[in-house]
Amino acid sequence: MFKTPTRTQDRARDNELNERTFLAWLRSAVSLIALGIGVAAFLDHQSTAARVALAIGALLVGLALVCVGFHRYRVMRAHIEGGEHYSPYTRAVAIAATCVAVLAAAATFIV
């Protein structure tokens, strides 16, 4: 009734999942970059240092997420193509979540 997937089908599925995960990293990065640009667009010449820091922080965290997501995509692709076992990328996820939480808290108090 049901056929067991072949290794080629497994690899294709794993690559699609890897690409979807990479797109999620990019989507998060674009959101943070848009937040940074939005905050910077509403800054005036007498803006507080906190607003400037929020804009720059959001931009930098967004750029870092692009780099981490791309690196993770390449590492996972190598693991998938090589048939190797991989381990979760918990450190990068924890750092990214912490940075986003700090920016969200800062945005709440500043804006």
Side-chain angles (χ1 to χ4, degrees), residues 32 61 65 90-106:
L32 284 171
V61 171
L65 284 179
T90 55
R91 183 176 297 155
V93 172
I95 291 171
T98 302
C99 290
V100 170
V102 167
L103 284 173

Side-chain angles (χ1 to χ4, degrees), residues 1-47:
M1 187 163 169
F2 291 106
K3 293 183 180 179
T4 305
T6 64
R7 178 63 190 138
T8 304
Q9 291 170 332
D10 283 345
R11 261 194 1 218
R13 185 197 64 222
D14 291 347
N15 276 316
E16 290 171 353
L17 293 172
N18 189 32
E19 290 171 2
R20 190 178 324 156
T21 302
F22 175 62
L23 291 174
W25 281 93
L26 284 181
R27 188 175 47 248
S28 299
V30 167
S31 297
L32 284 171
I33 291 169
L35 171 69
I37 292 170
V39 170
F42 290 108
L43 294 176
D44 54 8
H45 294 292
Q46 301 170 347
S47 294

Side-chain angles (χ1 to χ4, degrees), residues 22 25 63-73 89 92-93 96:
F22 175 62
W25 281 93
L63 291 174
L65 284 179
V66 169
C67 295
V68 169
F70 182 68
H71 172 73
R72 186 62 181 163
Y73 171 77
Y89 211 47
V93 172

